[in-house]
Amino acid sequence: MKTLKKNGAAKAVNKSYNALSVNPAVLDCDYYRFAELDAGAVNAYANEYMSQYYWADFMFNDF
C-alpha cells in the first residue's frame, strides 16, 4: 500500500478489515474490457489467451 500511495494508485485497491480487493472502476484493464466485449480489446487478441487455465476464459466468469 505504501508503494501504491507513493505512485498515486492507492484507489486501485479496496482495503477493509482483514481484506484487500481490486477496484476495477479505477483501472484501465484490457482483460476487463475484453470481458465486457469491448471491440478494441476483443480485436487485440488474435490467439488464445491462457487456454490452459479454465478460469482465464471469460465465458466461465460471472462478470
Side-chain angles (χ1 to χ4, degrees):
M1 290 304 297
K2 289 179 185 179
T3 301
L4 290 172
K5 285 180 185 178
K6 182 179 176 181
N7 290 290
K11 291 183 180 181
V13 176
N14 297 320
K15 186 177 178 183
S16 62
Y17 179 74
N18 208 24
L20 293 173
S21 63
V22 173
N23 182 1
V26 300
L27 297 176
D28 180 22
C29 176
D30 59 343
Y31 178 77
Y32 291 146
R33 289 193 324 249
F34 186 92
E36 294 172 354
L37 300 178
D38 174 79
V42 171
N43 290 332
Y45 289 99
N47 297 313
E48 294 181 10
Y49 176 75
M50 295 176 58
S51 61
Q52 67 272 33
Y53 301 104
Y54 76 92
W55 51 262
D57 188 339
F58 76 94
M59 298 291 287
F60 291 102
N61 290 328
D62 295 323
F63 278 99

